[in-house]
Amino acid sequence: MVAPLLPPFAARPQGGGTAPRDERAVFTAVVYVLTSGCAWRHLPPTFGTSSATAHRRFAAWTEVGLWRRLHRAVLDELGVRAEVDWTRTTVLWAARRVDPRQRPPRGAGAGTS
């Protein structure tokens, strides 16, 4: 699902550098850092990519909107499989867009005194 959304690797115009890394390995390393909360510099070498490469690719992917497109693709796939309750999802997203300063304080909702 991710591979078609990844932008193609562009070699540096001045040359040099290292050969392109396996995009799947770099993506896995980036997801590991994002989900584990570890610092980029603590990325385990078992991923087969350097922390600098993973961070650079994360920044490039963020700039081109990969995460938003991936999120949309996952939701679309879950929708096709009928594994998402769109009515509940819509309600949750609508609630998140409310300015928190306009929400009543805890315990001040309907039915409370």
Side-chain angles (χ1 to χ4, degrees):
M1 184 179 287
V2 175
L5 300 174
L6 293 174
F9 176 79
R12 297 179 354 179
Q14 71 271 25
T18 58
R21 298 285 179 217
D22 173 33
E23 292 295 297
R24 177 174 263 181
V26 177
F27 181 80
T28 303
V30 168
V31 170
Y32 173 79
V33 169
L34 296 177
T35 57
S36 71
C38 82
W40 290 102
R41 68 182 175 274
H42 296 297
L43 180 69
T46 54
F47 285 100
T49 187
S50 72
S51 59
T53 297
H55 184 262
R56 237 186 342 267
R57 208 63 57 85
F58 166 73
W61 291 339
T62 299
E63 189 174 314
V64 298
L66 171 70
W67 309 111
R68 183 180 61 252
R69 291 192 333 255
L70 180 58
H71 182 242
R72 181 80 243 160
V74 168
L75 287 178
D76 288 347
E77 179 63 27
L78 291 172
V80 167
R81 295 180 186 179
E83 294 180 14
V84 171
D85 179 358
W86 289 111
T87 57
R88 181 158 169 74
T89 303
T90 302
V91 169
L92 290 174
W93 279 106
R96 284 192 172 175
R97 291 188 185 133
V98 172
D99 184 344
R101 295 170 293 187
Q102 295 176 356
R103 288 190 177 170
R106 266 198 159 131
T112 60
S113 304

